[in-house]
Amino acid sequence: MKNFSIQIISFFLIISCMEKPIKPKPKSMLNLKYPSPIYISKKSSCPYSFKINNYTNFVSSDKCNDQIIYPNLNGTIYLTYRKVNNNFDSLLSDAYNMPLKHARRAFEIPEKVYVNNINRTYGSIFKIVGNAASQVQFFLTDSLNHFIFGALYFYKKPNYDSIMPAVDYIGEDISKLMESLKWGD
């Protein structure tokens, strides 16, 4: 019986050596390619203008709730303009509280302060890291007359790892929007 067991084990060892070994899959990275942006000037029906990516659709409303739509990425930047009229503290408080509404789903919400003395635009941009409904929020103001709040939303269930390349791409467009924003007074 012992001899028979040795023969069976030897048989399986010989057969297993004939199969090609299974190699682990190489590490791979998601390689999404977005078109290089070409920025064009847009004027809102409200008192401001800025530059946006020409691969977007801009929808301006008379009620100062504008949209920059990314049809190929299923995302939209919602812009809300408010006239400063003895309510600056309230507008600023709202702008800082909006990103905090996503804090339950976020790992962190870093703030980057923005200052442009030439165009008189001051504000902050918040990148919400995690599976939150909005991944980027920002505001701009001249501290006297104008206030704009913006938020990026995707029409998909939030999965930060999957949409991170699109967030980074649109984040560059938001930076360009903030740099180029001019008040129309």
Side-chain angles (χ1 to χ4, degrees):
M1 179 80 168
K2 187 175 182 180
N3 194 18
F4 181 70
S5 297
I6 292 174
Q7 287 177 345
I8 288 181
I9 292 172
S10 298
F11 174 74
F12 283 115
L13 284 173
I14 291 171
I15 291 196
S16 67
C17 291
M18 295 174 139
E19 295 179 23
K20 292 183 180 179
I22 299 174
K23 295 180 182 178
K25 291 183 180 180
K27 288 186 178 184
S28 63
M29 300 294 285
L30 187 60
N31 186 13
L32 299 174
K33 295 190 181 195
Y34 299 108
S36 295
I38 299 170
Y39 294 104
I40 56 175
S41 295
K42 288 290 181 179
K43 173 128 179 54
S44 173
S45 59
C46 300
Y48 64 90
S49 63
F50 51 83
K51 292 185 178 182
I52 63 171
N53 191 330
N54 73 330
Y55 294 107
T56 63
N57 299 325
F58 180 65
V59 179
S60 185
S61 78
D62 293 337
K63 298 186 187 237
C64 295
N65 294 316
D66 298 340
Q67 298 176 18
I68 302 170
I69 301 167
Y70 289 80
N72 295 338
L73 299 177
N74 277 342
T76 300
I77 299 171
Y78 293 92
L79 300 170
T80 303
Y81 171 85
R82 295 291 178 254
K83 182 92 173 125
V84 175
N85 189 12
N86 293 326
N87 60 348
F88 181 73
D89 291 340
S90 173
L91 292 169
L92 192 60
S93 176
D94 288 347
Y96 274 99
N97 285 330
M98 288 300 286
L100 295 178
K101 290 182 179 183
H102 302 283
R104 202 173 72 198
R105 304 282 296 175
F107 300 118
E108 66 177 322
I109 306 175
E111 175 187 9
K112 182 178 177 186
V113 176
Y114 178 79
V115 175
N116 184 330
N117 291 321
I118 295 170
N119 290 343
R120 297 181 339 238
T121 52
Y122 314 96
S124 288
I125 185 167
F126 305 91
K127 189 169 184 181
I128 300 159
V129 180
N131 293 332
S134 175
Q135 280 65 40
V136 179
Q137 296 191 3
F138 62 96
F139 72 89
L140 289 170
T141 183
D142 67 352
S143 302
L144 299 172
N145 300 307
H146 309 286
F147 200 98
I148 293 176
F149 178 77
L152 168 64
Y153 286 91
F154 288 96
Y155 305 113
K156 296 178 182 174
K157 182 179 177 185
N159 183 348
Y160 186 72
D161 291 341
S162 297
I163 62 173
M164 193 168 74
V167 169
D168 291 342
Y169 179 76
I170 295 174
E172 293 295 321
D173 290 352
I174 292 172
S175 293
K176 186 66 170 182
L177 180 154
M178 293 177 78
E179 292 168 5
S180 64
L181 187 125
K182 293 183 182 172
W183 306 113
D185 39 25

